[in-house]
Amino acid sequence: MKISSLSEVSTDMANIGIAGSGTWGTALAIHLCGMGHRVTLWSAIEDEIRAIAEKREHVNLPGVRIPGEIICTSSDEELCTDQDIIILSVPSIFTRSTARRLSSYIKEGQIVVNVAKGIEEDTLKTQTDITAEELPMASVCVLSGPSHAEEVSRGLPTAVVVGAGKRETAEFIQNVFMSPAFRVYTSSDMKGIEIGGSLKNVIALAAGMSDGLGFGDNALAALITRGIAEMSRLGKAMDCDPQTFFGLTGIGDLIVTCGSRHSRNRRAGVLIGKGCSVKAAMDEVKMVVEGVYSAKAGLQLARKYGVSMPIVEEVNMILFEDKPASEAVIDLMCRDRRVEHAEVKW
């Protein structure tokens, strides 16, 4: 059975299933329910979804009420049946297994929106690549941008980008999600959106380490600026649109992730900068630190495409080779002298 034509689906009241009841999946459920959509929130962890259903709150979103209209379930079939949109909001390391698990319930033409950020370490595939591989019958797209769950769940102003292979799909998602507090732009550059969304987490780890070492705003600004340079160099080598990296899913997401108290990647970096082990930092944060998983993949992509990414390289050595963060800073600062932009002529 083929899903209904987009023209037949009301963007004022769509049926939406959200796979993943972490903070981001829950925040999107609250936002979409508040717009009048029928929302089903799913978790593979029965105790987690049962607690949300009973208490109508999320342990990591204190003070936020989860509307009673949101259906909570651990049933794969209930999540997927009769939905206009399926949102994949599980941690990126579980995207493949979750998509595979749900595959028997996904219809031909089903819209599946990825909102996780990460690159698969073994294959170097993006989240939409993975989803399209596991769900070839689906119409896969991505929603990304500077959007902390803590703020979206409270209705604070946010702007994001939806990337899709077809303009019609992107505009449909735009209309479903957009509200006075949640502005949605469209783009055809799905890969650029995902490369930016993944690698900004690695740069945010470095920003946190800088803060943990006691450095100031100058160092943070340098990391953000040189970080976007690394991301855009890789994106160019991968045939992404350079403009993507200077938009919401590039510099926008990088700024918010490097500087916000809500950023789990920055928080983990701060702890590592103060001398904690990677494991201890991740345990302290108590949520998935995506940058740790994207760091290796980012370095592999840099080597595959012959792109210089010194910040990503140093973060890898800190995370996986026990290099002290203080030594990594010295090595970054003492690299060979360079011009800032080779394209700018004297």
Side-chain angles (χ1 to χ4, degrees):
M1 178 180 175
K2 186 177 177 63
I3 195 166
S4 303
S5 166
L6 295 185
S7 62
E8 298 173 10
V9 179
S10 170
T11 55
D12 294 327
M13 194 180 74
N15 295 325
I16 304 169
I18 302 178
S21 61
T23 55
W24 189 215
T26 301
L28 286 173
I30 293 168
H31 164 66
L32 292 165
C33 178
M35 293 180 64
H37 301 302
R38 180 181 180 275
V39 179
T40 301
L41 183 63
W42 171 95
S43 176
I45 305 170
E46 291 192 18
D47 289 346
E48 180 178 90
I49 200 67
R50 186 182 302 115
I52 290 174
E54 292 174 357
K55 298 178 181 179
R56 290 292 150 175
E57 61 184 24
H58 193 290
V59 65
N60 291 318
L61 294 172
V64 175
R65 181 185 174 276
I66 298 171
E69 294 86 351
I70 294 175
I71 301 164
C72 298
T73 187
S74 59
S75 164
D76 301 354
E77 184 173 7
E78 187 174 11
L79 166 69
C80 298
T81 301
D82 296 327
Q83 306 291 13
D84 302 310
I85 300 167
I86 300 291
I87 298 173
L88 284 181
S89 186
V90 295
S92 62
I93 54 174
F94 299 121
T95 294
R96 185 178 292 280
S97 59
T98 303
R100 185 175 294 168
R101 170 175 177 162
L102 300 178
S103 61
S104 60
Y105 300 103
I106 300 298
K107 296 180 288 187
E108 185 71 28
Q110 175 75 64
I111 294 178
V112 177
V113 184
N114 279 283
V115 298
K117 299 172 182 178
I119 301 166
E120 193 170 49
E121 186 179 324
D122 295 338
T123 66
L124 304 184
K125 294 180 184 292
T126 64
Q127 298 299 291
T128 55
D129 288 338
I130 294 165
T131 308
E133 195 170 277
E134 296 296 332
L135 303 174
M137 73 294 283
S139 176
V140 179
C141 51
V142 57
L143 183 88
S144 189
S147 49
H148 286 309
E150 293 84 352
E151 297 186 4
V152 171
S153 65
R154 289 173 168 81
L156 299 181
T158 300
V160 298
V161 180
V162 57
K166 294 181 179 179
R167 184 193 297 269
E168 178 190 23
T169 305
E171 290 179 348
F172 174 74
I173 296 299
Q174 180 183 49
N175 291 335
V176 168
F177 278 76
M178 192 151 161
S179 79
F182 198 84
R183 183 166 179 80
V184 184
Y185 292 84
T186 60
S187 170
S188 61
D189 188 16
M190 295 170 66
K191 190 174 292 294
I193 288 170
E194 293 195 88
I195 292 297
S198 300
L199 294 185
K200 59 91 183 178
N201 287 327
V202 184
I203 306 301
L205 281 169
M209 294 174 197
S210 174
D211 285 349
L213 287 164
F215 300 151
D217 295 340
N218 294 348
L220 178 62
L223 280 167
I224 290 174
T225 308
R226 298 314 301 167
I228 199 68
E230 292 190 16
M231 290 160 53
S232 59
R233 278 200 300 269
L234 178 62
K236 182 178 179 181
M238 296 177 68
D239 294 325
C240 303
D241 190 323
Q243 293 185 77
T244 299
F245 298 93
F246 296 96
L248 287 166
T249 59
I251 192 68
D253 213 350
L254 188 60
I255 289 169
V256 80
T257 311
C258 287
S260 173
R261 69 186 187 278
H262 298 310
S263 169
R264 64 189 72 172
N265 291 280
R266 178 187 172 277
R267 234 181 307 161
V270 169
L271 293 167
I272 293 168
K274 288 181 175 179
C276 286
S277 68
V278 175
K279 183 181 184 307
M282 292 178 73
D283 290 345
E284 176 69 21
V285 171
K286 295 184 175 67
M287 291 188 282
V288 175
V289 181
E290 300 280 15
V292 173
Y293 299 99
S294 294
K296 282 185 179 179
L299 184 58
Q300 289 181 64
L301 284 172
R303 290 172 175 169
K304 177 180 178 179
Y305 288 95
V307 173
S308 173
M309 301 185 73
I311 299 174
V312 171
E313 187 169 349
E314 291 294 340
V315 168
N316 270 273
M317 286 192 278
I318 294 166
L319 293 177
F320 308 117
E321 299 178 24
D322 296 322
K323 182 174 184 176
S326 56
E327 287 185 18
V329 172
I330 293 171
D331 288 345
L332 281 171
M333 293 296 288
C334 295
R335 293 171 63 238
D336 290 343
R337 295 169 177 81
R338 299 176 183 274
V339 298
E340 184 178 24
H341 299 292
E343 296 84 3
V344 178
K345 304 303 179 184
W346 292 103

